[in-house]
Amino acid sequence: MTSLPIHLYDTRRRSVVAFEPIHPGKVGIYTCGPTVYGPQHLGNMRSQLLPDVLRRVLGASGLDVRYVTNITDVGHLVSDADDGDDKVEAAAARTGESVEQITRRWTDQWATDRRRLGCLEPDSVPKATEHIAGQIEMVQVLEAKGHTYQIGDGVYFDVSTFPRYAEFAGLTLDDHEATGRIDNIVDKRHPADFALWKLTPPGVSRLQEWDSPWGRGFPGWHIECSVMASEELGRHIDVHTGGVDHVRVHHTNEVAQSECAFELHPWVNIWMHNEFLDLGGEKMSKSRGHILTVDSLVERGIDPLAFRYFFLQTHYRQQQAFGFDLVEASGTGLRRLTQHATNARDEVGGDLLAPGSAGQRAEELRKQFWSALVDDLNTPKAMAVVSTVARDGELSHADRWSLLGDFDRILGFGFADAASVGSGELGADLGAKEPEVAKLLAARQAARLAKDFATADRIRDELAAKGWEIVDTPQGPTVRRS
RNA sequence: GGCGUCGUGGCCGAGUGGCUUAGGCAAGGGCCUGCAAAGCCCUGUACCCGGGUUCGAUUCCCGGCGGCGCCUCCA
C-alpha cells in the first residue's frame, strides 16, 4: 500500500492531482469545524467523515498525519452580508444562557457524535476565542500591506488588492452586484469585501468582545481559520477540507487573507470539499429547523456506525440521497459484514496474519481495495471489494481476517473488538446483563429439546416482542437486539 | 436570472467508448432448521429524452427535460 501514489481532487485546480506532502513523510490536514451555537446534524457529519477517511488513508500510506479542526465560538455572523449578530451571541440572548454554556454543550455534542461515527480524535481542536491575539496580529499584517480599510462598522479586506480573488471559486465578481440580494448596509467599497474585525458600536456591550488597535469588537469569521490553520500546521498547508458550500465565500476569503498576509501562492496545496446530503428536496439546514442528528438515528434503533457505512457507500464529491430507510439498509450491510469479520477473526484466534503470508487471491483483493482508496478516496469501490472479501469462497479464514482487519484501519468499524454472534455480549455476558432474556432463552431451548415446539415458539414470540431476536448457531442459541 | 453538478436495473450507488453480469439493500428460488430467524448458494441484464461524432456510446459533443447545490447563514 505504501507504494501506491495517492491522487486527490483539488477544488482549486478542478482536477484530480497527485498528492505530494510539503514536508517528506508528514502531512497536515485542516478542516473547518462547527460553529457551536446549535446541534450538528448528519449533513455536518459528512464533512467530519471525509477528513477522517482521508487521514486514515494518508496514515496507512506511511505518512505522519497531523489533523486539526477548529471550533468556531465567535465571529460567525447570523448573516454574511457583514451585518447581523454573532451566532453564538444571538443564541445566548435567545436562551438566556451564558456563552460558555452554549458553546460547551454544542462542542460536546459534536465531539460525541463524531466519536460515535467512528472518527479518530483530532490531534488538536483549537478554539477561535483562544486565538484572538493571532487574529488581531494577522489583520495588522494585512493592514500594513495595504489590503484593508476601516469604516465605522469595522476593518474590511479590500478584494481589489488581490487580483486572484475570483480565481479560486471561479467567481464573476459582477454577480455579487447583479443579484442584488445582498443588502449592503455598511459602506463597503465592493460587495465582496469582507469583515476582518467588527467594532462594537458605542454604548453597546457584548458578551464576547476584545480590545484591538481599532477599538473593542470581535474578529470576523474567516480570519480565524487562516490563523489557527497556520499556527497549528505552518503557513503552507497540505490539505484543507470543508463542505462545498464554503468554496464561494469562506474559503475564497481564507485564501485571499492568507495569500496576502503570507505572500504565498498556493497557500493550500489541495482543497477538498464534500458534497451535501440530499434530503429529497427539503434542505437540511439549521435555519429551517430540520435537525437530523446522530441521536435521530439512535432513536430509531440505528447504529451510528451504520451512517459511517452509509457514508462510505457514496463518493464524497457526490450528493448523497438521505433517508432513514437507506441508513437502515446500510445497517443491515454493516451487521452482516461485521459478522463475517468476527467469524473469521474468531476462527483464527484474533491474530492478524503477518504481512506477506496471505494467499495470491487475498493479495489481489488487498491491492484492489487500496487502489480504489488512493484514487481520490473511491470508498464505494473499496466497499465493493470489502463485500467480496467478506464472502469470497476462495479465501481462508486467515486470509479473510487478514484483509478485513487490515481494511478496518480505514473502515473504522472496530472489527477487532466487535462482539461476535454466539459469544461476548450476546452469549457469555447475557446472563449477567439480561437475566430475564437469558432465562427465557434457556426455557425455549429446554422446550425444543423436549419437542415442545408450541412452547418454544411462544417464547420466541415473547422475546421478539421485547425486541430480541433469537439466532440459532452451531454453538447453540443466542439473541441479539432486533 | 447566473454558475455548477447529477440523472444507471425495485431502492441506494460505483464504473467504462466495444470483456465489470461493480457492490449494498430489497425481492424470488434453493440449502440449512422441528418450523423460523441468522447464514450460505443461485437468479434478475439497467444506464432520462432527442440529435450528432464513431465501425460501435450508458460512457464523448450539442439541445431538451428533471433533481440537487451555490450565488444569502448553512457541511
Side-chain angles (χ1 to χ4, degrees):
Chain A
M1 148 90 226
T2 46
S3 60
L4 294 173
I6 297 171
H7 293 266
L8 301 169
Y9 182 87
D10 175 31
T11 302
R12 181 175 65 83
R13 285 171 280 184
R14 293 171 184 74
S15 59
V16 175
V17 300
F19 171 74
E20 284 291 342
I22 294 165
H23 303 290
K26 291 163 62 172
V27 55
I29 306 171
Y30 184 87
T31 299
C32 289
T35 300
V36 285
Y37 70 104
Q40 290 289 296
H41 54 67
L42 292 172
N44 292 295
M45 298 321 278
R46 202 178 179 196
S47 51
Q48 292 298 315
L49 288 163
L50 163 63
D52 185 65
V53 171
L54 173 68
R55 65 190 290 203
R56 285 168 179 268
V57 170
L58 292 173
S61 80
L63 291 164
D64 179 15
V65 181
R66 180 165 170 74
Y67 179 65
V68 177
T69 183
N70 72 293
I71 295 291
T72 297
D73 50 4
V74 70
H76 202 156
L77 303 181
V78 171
S79 157
D80 204 33
D82 291 314
D83 62 340
D85 252 334
D86 172 275
K87 287 187 171 184
V88 172
E89 189 114 353
R94 200 165 52 240
T95 65
E97 292 173 289
S98 71
V99 165
E100 291 70 26
Q101 280 176 309
I102 288 173
T103 59
R104 170 80 178 284
R105 173 183 323 127
W106 300 119
T107 298
D108 287 348
Q109 182 252 349
W110 169 78
T112 301
D113 282 359
R114 60 189 304 295
R115 248 174 243 131
R116 291 201 281 181
L117 295 179
C119 294
L120 300 173
E121 294 301 307
D123 294 300
S124 178
V125 186
K127 294 180 179 176
T129 52
E130 292 170 358
H131 289 265
I132 299 297
Q135 296 182 64
I136 290 173
E137 209 172 292
M138 185 158 175
V139 177
Q140 285 180 300
V141 169
L142 289 168
E143 186 173 47
K145 292 184 178 178
H147 293 291
T148 70
Y149 59 88
Q150 184 172 349
I151 51 180
D153 172 72
V155 179
Y156 281 77
F157 184 91
D158 180 351
V159 301
S160 71
T161 65
F162 184 58
R164 265 199 308 271
Y165 185 79
E167 203 175 274
F168 178 74
L171 302 175
T172 306
L173 281 187
D174 294 343
D175 282 356
H176 279 81
E177 293 162 305
T179 65
R181 297 173 71 178
I182 301 173
D183 292 331
N184 286 295
I185 64 160
V186 293
D187 305 318
K188 293 199 292 188
R189 293 177 189 169
H190 187 285
D193 291 346
F194 54 93
L196 295 168
W197 186 267
K198 295 277 284 186
L199 292 165
T200 302
V204 174
S205 175
R206 308 180 58 91
L207 297 175
Q208 297 197 102
E209 55 181 358
W210 296 265
D211 284 320
S212 81
W214 312 279
R216 284 187 78 73
F218 64 98
W221 175 39
H222 315 296
I223 196 77
E224 63 167 83
C225 284
S226 292
V227 170
M228 290 186 275
S230 61
E231 288 185 9
E232 297 274 351
L233 298 168
R235 292 188 165 189
H236 194 179
I237 311 290
D238 284 299
V239 186
H240 190 134
T241 82
V244 277
D245 54 310
H246 281 332
V247 177
R248 290 255 180 173
V249 178
H250 186 47
H251 290 165
T252 286
N253 291 344
E254 276 189 55
V255 168
Q257 297 164 340
S258 303
E259 300 203 352
C260 288
F262 305 152
E263 297 185 29
L264 175 72
H265 179 38
W267 167 50
V268 169
N269 274 176
I270 296 184
W271 285 90
M272 296 180 72
H273 295 95
N274 56 282
E275 256 295 349
F276 273 36
L277 221 45
D278 177 2
L279 200 69
E282 280 186 90
K283 192 176 171 184
M284 180 160 62
S285 69
K286 298 169 193 173
S287 55
R288 295 276 292 271
H290 211 126
I291 315 286
L292 294 173
T293 62
V294 172
D295 273 337
S296 308
L297 298 176
V298 174
E299 284 163 11
R300 287 170 171 74
I302 301 172
D303 180 350
L305 284 178
F307 188 77
R308 186 179 177 90
Y309 186 105
F310 174 74
F311 168 80
L312 294 171
Q313 282 183 304
T314 300
H315 188 87
Y316 75 90
R317 280 193 286 122
Q318 210 62 44
Q319 289 175 10
Q320 180 172 27
F322 175 85
F324 285 108
D325 55 334
L326 297 174
V327 182
E328 264 173 41
S330 295
T332 303
L334 172 61
R335 195 198 71 217
R336 289 180 181 156
L337 172 61
T338 302
Q339 189 166 330
H340 282 110
T342 56
N343 282 348
R345 176 197 69 193
D346 296 345
E347 286 291 335
V348 299
D351 293 326
L352 270 179
L353 275 189
S357 58
Q360 192 90 54
R361 171 71 178 151
E363 291 312 326
E364 188 184 309
L365 290 165
R366 194 193 305 275
K367 190 179 176 198
Q368 281 177 23
F369 178 79
W370 293 111
S371 296
L373 290 175
V374 299
D375 179 18
D376 193 30
L377 309 183
N378 194 331
T379 56
K381 207 170 185 179
M383 288 298 281
V385 179
V386 170
S387 293
T388 302
V389 169
R391 287 179 243 244
D392 192 303
E394 291 179 43
L395 295 176
S396 65
H397 288 301
D399 282 353
R400 199 186 318 283
W401 175 237
S402 166
L403 293 173
L404 294 178
D406 183 32
F407 296 172
D408 200 39
R409 287 190 289 159
I410 308 304
L411 305 179
F413 294 136
F415 293 150
D417 302 317
S420 48
V421 173
S423 70
E425 179 186 284
L426 295 172
D429 297 344
L430 189 64
K433 285 185 178 171
E434 300 283 347
E436 198 59 33
V437 174
K439 211 156 97 184
L440 286 169
L441 191 62
R444 166 184 175 264
Q445 187 60 358
R448 289 180 76 203
L449 293 174
K451 305 275 190 212
D452 180 4
F453 298 123
T455 300
D457 292 349
R458 186 179 49 70
I459 296 174
R460 181 166 65 198
D461 292 343
E462 197 177 327
L463 279 169
K466 294 176 191 248
W468 292 91
E469 183 183 9
I470 289 179
V471 180
D472 289 320
T473 73
Q475 292 77 39
T478 184
V479 292
R480 72 174 169 215
R481 287 193 171 79
S482 54

